[in-house]
Amino acid sequence: MDLPILTTTSEYLMRTRQHATTTLEDPRTPVKVKLAAAWTSFMFLYVYVDILAFYKPGTVDDILVGVVWEFDITQTWAITALTLLAIPIFMVVLSMTLPARANRITNLIVASVQVPFAAFNAVGQVGESWMYFYVVGVALEVIVLALILRYAWTWPRTAPSATMATSPDREADRFRQRA
């Protein structure tokens, strides 16, 4: 095995740097991590659309007199708002902790329900002066929800091993399921 003879330190560094920059590892990201990251992104969009809406002229004045959009600010309103915000927060945790099957089903159901809920928020702003802001916010939320639905729908499956398919225990399980 012949090793290349490097004449200068800079030549050595150039070759080492070239090799180091051409091979990046791209490890496979588990579905649970993708889902938790997507729910976190959704949650930030959800919250920041509301926070940025405070800059809409008249919003803070309405809040100070106890009104948000058309709703009176009451304890019921606050509990409802907190509950609705808690859904994506809990989905971050559930996406990381639920077993695969329950995780997939939960993500498909919750994300599917969140899509029309997000759309409802945009429809309420049609014709209003800040309509484009809300439409962009909701569009971004729906894009993240579509990613969640895709990740959950395409959750990888493991094929049963050859020994499992023909094992005596497998036959006993089939018999028990029929009974």
Side-chain angles (χ1 to χ4, degrees):
M1 174 154 98
D2 294 331
L3 295 174
I5 298 174
L6 303 175
T7 57
T8 65
T9 304
S10 62
E11 186 179 343
Y12 170 77
L13 289 174
M14 283 179 53
R15 285 192 184 197
T16 306
R17 196 174 304 129
Q18 274 183 337
H19 179 69
T21 59
T22 59
T23 55
L24 293 177
E25 182 182 354
D26 193 12
R28 186 167 173 223
T29 305
V31 176
K32 287 183 172 190
V33 173
K34 289 179 183 180
L35 288 168
W39 280 111
T40 302
S41 297
F42 175 80
M43 185 188 69
F44 276 114
L45 283 167
Y46 191 58
V47 170
Y48 273 98
V49 166
D50 286 346
I51 290 171
L52 292 172
F54 289 146
Y55 294 96
K56 182 174 140 183
T59 300
V60 174
D61 294 335
D62 287 346
I63 291 170
L64 291 174
V65 295
V67 176
V68 173
W69 291 301
E70 306 288 324
F71 305 105
D72 290 335
I73 300 174
T74 63
Q75 183 169 258
T76 303
W77 175 87
I79 290 170
T80 303
L82 179 61
T83 302
L84 292 173
L85 185 57
I87 294 169
I89 292 169
F90 282 124
M91 287 308 298
V92 174
V93 175
L94 292 175
S95 294
M96 289 299 292
T97 59
L98 286 176
R101 182 175 169 78
N103 203 332
R104 180 177 187 261
I105 292 167
T106 303
N107 273 281
L108 288 171
I109 291 169
V110 175
S112 296
V113 169
Q114 288 290 324
V115 170
F117 180 73
F120 172 77
N121 287 334
V123 168
Q125 296 300 319
V126 172
E128 297 294 323
S129 63
W130 280 52
M131 176 180 75
Y132 298 114
F133 165 76
Y134 288 105
V135 169
V136 169
V138 168
L140 294 171
E141 290 174 10
V142 169
I143 289 168
V144 174
L145 290 168
L147 279 173
I148 292 168
L149 289 168
R150 181 175 181 268
Y151 294 149
W153 187 260
T154 61
W155 197 299
R157 301 180 188 282
T158 57
S161 66
T163 57
M164 176 120 180
T166 58
S167 72
D169 291 336
R170 178 80 170 170
E171 292 302 317
D173 286 345
R174 281 191 199 158
F175 178 75
R176 275 188 232 126
Q177 286 177 353
R178 287 186 200 148

